[in-house]
Amino acid sequence: MTIAALSEVAADADDLSVWPASAHRLPHGGLAVGGVSLAEVADRFATPVYVLDEGEVRARCRTYRDAFPDTDVLYAAKAFLSRAVVRWVDEEGLGLDVCSAGELELAVTAGFPADRVVLHGNAKSPHDIEAALRLGVGRIVIDSPSEVARLAAAVGTGGFQRVMVRVVPGISAGGHEKIRTGTEGQKFGLSPADGSAQRVVARILGQPQLELTGLHCHIGSQITEVGPYAMAVRRMVDLMAGIRDAHGVVLPELDMGGGHGIAYRPGEPALDLTALARRLRGELAAGCAASGLTVPRLAIEPGRAVIGPAGVALYRVLAVKHADDRVFVAVDGGMSDNPRPALYGVRYAPRLVGRRSTAQGRTTTVVGRHCEAGDILAADVELPGDVHPGDLLAVPVAGAYQLSMASGYNMVGRPPVVAVGDGTARLLVRRETLADFRRRDIGG
Ligand code: LLP
């Protein structure tokens, strides 16, 4: 390895820019988050374990509230939800975006006010709709023509439900093809270009028990530039003006979805929230003025940017292997707790914690323990050359779409979630055990 590459390793190892703001170095290679040593968390709760910095989640909620005054900020539960997170988000004054009866019931039974919840889904089950109506969800976002009559029937004559329409504004944005949802030709939303959005709007307006409050779009996820949002606002305002012209109805709400991108590794770009807020407001005001529309109340639905950077995954090294000229460091988790590298080719920046190493850096591939060659957590990352079984690796920016997408693959069991803050650690979600697998398997 060249001297330049070596100093890059040292710089990377020292760079805490993608870590929670509370992260700080301890003597002897230790690292603390929320005032708690990660090595101590690993000892106390075993590994793999997910650590969530409560202060970081709350601070991110506040950043949104400050950057987006007069906007409803709805946390997208799909990124990660637990009863404690429900409480934090509620206390910080955010609303909630859910996409199943499960997310909805967890939130409401944890005390979240149902009227601040929006229910999404391209294919809502009868159970989803029943739960939404029973619990009194604030808004249901309609995503297909057949849903209108089905929902109206479930609401019943004399009943009442506020709804929105999910629109595809025809914009391609997002960190990976699988998470781009703003274009035609994918399963989400209704297109104004082919008239299906306008047809569904007309159907809803014909149902007295449904009140159409506005339009919704979510153009994609892990978007790091403001431009696609600005274009989406313009198209949504055009559609709102068209609806006013056709039906004489001025819709009072516009939900621009989430998708705000974050850095997973030092140096990567993140969406500038202040710039986003300014641009959304500006485009909305200009578009509405030009079309003679009253400016609708804005809503946004960030998930990843609220919870992602607050999470840290901790793994214990189980094996080190040299194959060809590659070094594989195998840990006690993998694609069952984090399927994102396998699904989207996402790159992470793991780091050795809990001991100081003076060894030279070397290019290492961190792999999981599952029965697939594709079970790679971090390919070609720089780690000290003496990493060995028993060492602890920490992966920052692990709070979003990891545990919420975790599986029971190989019956390893999903890791626990531990909240840290003010120097204390407490268990939020316990580890999934063999007893859990056994209990579900009724034998037959
Ligand atoms: N609103 C709607 C309607 C959504 O579908 C989503 C995400 C969000 C808001 C929140 O997006 P965020 O701010 O978190 O980007 N599993 C993928 C991400 C899938 C996103 C799905 N929808 C990943 O791991 O990157």
Side-chain angles (χ1 to χ4, degrees):
M1 185 178 287
T2 64
I3 290 178
L6 263 178
S7 57
E8 222 170 80
V9 175
D12 266 6
D14 223 34
D15 187 335
L16 295 179
S17 59
V18 298
W19 283 73
S22 71
H24 69 270
R25 293 170 198 85
L26 299 172
H28 315 299
L31 193 69
V33 173
V36 181
S37 150
L38 292 178
E40 278 174 34
V41 171
D43 286 343
R44 184 170 153 205
F45 297 95
T47 53
V49 56
Y50 276 70
V51 179
L52 209 47
D53 182 339
E54 177 177 347
E56 181 76 21
V57 176
R58 288 183 182 274
R60 286 177 173 270
C61 292
R62 281 179 214 150
T63 299
Y64 268 105
R65 294 300 309 274
D66 293 346
F68 292 88
D70 307 319
T71 299
D72 293 319
V73 182
L74 313 173
Y75 170 63
K78 67 208 82 183
F80 175 72
L81 199 68
S82 76
R83 292 197 281 169
V85 171
V86 168
R87 201 171 55 244
W88 302 344
V89 166
D90 183 18
E91 286 170 5
E92 297 304 333
L94 271 58
L96 210 57
D97 141 10
V98 301
C99 61
S100 71
E103 289 176 355
L104 175 61
E105 293 242 13
L106 187 99
V108 173
T109 53
F112 202 89
D115 62 336
R116 279 181 17 225
V117 180
V118 174
L119 174 70
H120 287 286
N122 69 302
K124 298 177 195 76
S125 71
H127 177 48
D128 294 330
I129 290 178
E130 179 278 318
L133 299 181
R134 171 170 44 83
L135 297 170
V137 84
R139 281 152 189 63
I140 297 179
V141 181
I142 291 184
D143 193 321
S144 67
S146 61
E147 218 182 322
V148 180
R150 199 153 69 91
L151 183 59
V155 171
T157 46
F160 172 74
Q161 178 61 51
R162 293 197 167 92
V163 298
M164 304 184 87
V165 169
R166 176 150 178 175
V167 173
V168 268
I171 290 160
S172 176
H176 189 277
E177 171 206 339
K178 290 176 184 161
I179 53 175
R180 291 185 194 131
T181 49
T183 51
E184 326 273 330
Q186 47 79 47
K187 71 173 186 171
F188 290 104
L190 295 148
S191 166
D194 69 5
S196 52
Q198 292 87 336
R199 281 194 293 277
V200 164
V201 164
R203 272 195 203 194
I204 295 171
L205 294 174
Q207 299 284 350
Q209 61 269 55
L210 302 183
E211 179 189 333
L212 181 64
T213 64
L215 303 180
H216 170 277
C217 71
H218 171 76
I219 55 177
S221 200
Q222 186 57 8
I223 299 167
T224 52
E225 281 167 5
V226 167
Y229 288 102
M231 192 183 289
V233 166
R234 290 197 288 272
R235 299 209 175 149
M236 298 297 276
V237 170
D238 283 350
L239 181 56
M240 289 178 118
I243 291 167
R244 189 258 335 262
D245 295 344
H247 304 283
V249 172
V250 177
L251 297 175
E253 297 177 2
L254 176 62
D255 184 336
M256 293 302 296
H260 311 161
I262 57 174
Y264 282 89
R265 296 183 299 167
E268 285 181 354
L271 187 67
D272 178 341
L273 295 183
T274 314
L276 177 69
R278 198 182 318 121
R279 192 74 184 275
L280 283 182
R281 255 197 309 271
E283 293 288 347
L284 194 55
C288 289
S291 309
L293 283 172
T294 310
V295 176
R297 183 166 176 87
L298 199 59
I300 53 169
E301 302 172 337
R304 185 193 314 268
V306 171
I307 202 105
V312 177
L314 286 178
Y315 302 100
R316 191 73 70 183
V317 174
L318 295 179
V320 177
K321 188 184 279 180
H322 299 253
D324 284 338
D325 52 358
R326 299 188 77 180
V327 181
F328 291 99
V329 166
V331 298
D332 53 2
M335 66 194 299
S336 67
D337 67 82
N338 183 6
R340 303 191 67 253
L343 275 173
Y344 319 114
V346 179
R347 310 285 310 271
Y348 286 88
R351 119 190 220 132
L352 174 69
V353 292
R355 77 172 170 89
R356 178 168 322 281
S357 169
T358 51
Q360 286 200 352
R362 73 177 168 199
T363 304
T364 305
T365 292
V366 179
V367 296
R369 53 165 297 168
H370 294 280
C371 305
E372 293 193 26
D375 176 26
I376 293 170
L377 281 175
D380 300 330
V381 293
E382 296 299 324
L383 284 174
D386 64 348
V387 167
H388 54 73
D391 273 341
L392 205 55
L393 295 187
V395 181
V397 204
Y401 302 109
Q402 295 189 196
L403 278 188
S404 68
M405 294 173 69
S407 74
Y409 193 29
N410 297 148
M411 294 196 183
V412 166
R414 288 172 288 176
V417 183
V418 170
V420 292
D422 298 330
T424 59
R426 65 182 203 282
L427 189 63
L428 299 186
V429 182
R430 70 160 170 79
R431 186 180 303 284
E432 190 174 33
T433 64
L434 178 60
D436 294 313
F437 287 100
R438 263 193 213 284
R439 210 168 295 135
R440 289 189 59 230
D441 179 345
I442 54 172

